[in-house]
Amino acid sequence: MADRRGFKQLTLQDRLTAWAKKTREQANELEPGPYRDALLQKADKAESAARFDAWSRSSGLQPPTDGPRRPTK
């Protein structure tokens, strides 16, 4: 059997943050224009997704409540 080498798998948050950073650096090297704007928007969305992922995994997250129940007839 082949040896299995363990490697640390990055979290979704880490991958999104790294991708956003790389994309933002690429955009900063470009002239102002629609392609640069599109890259910056994608980087913003990736950073938002990373924040949402962190929020969804937080210990303070509460399950949704049904609210007051209506009496049935």
Side-chain angles (χ1 to χ4, degrees), residues 22-68:
K22 182 178 79 172
T23 303
R24 197 170 292 282
E25 289 171 357
Q26 289 174 349
N28 288 333
E29 294 174 359
L30 297 174
E31 298 280 327
Y35 185 68
R36 180 177 188 259
D37 293 342
L39 284 178
L40 290 173
Q41 284 180 347
K42 288 180 181 182
D44 287 340
K45 288 181 181 181
E47 289 169 346
S48 295
R51 284 192 302 273
F52 179 77
D53 181 59
W55 171 80
S56 69
R57 295 176 185 274
S58 71
S59 61
L61 184 62
Q62 299 294 318
T65 59
D66 293 329

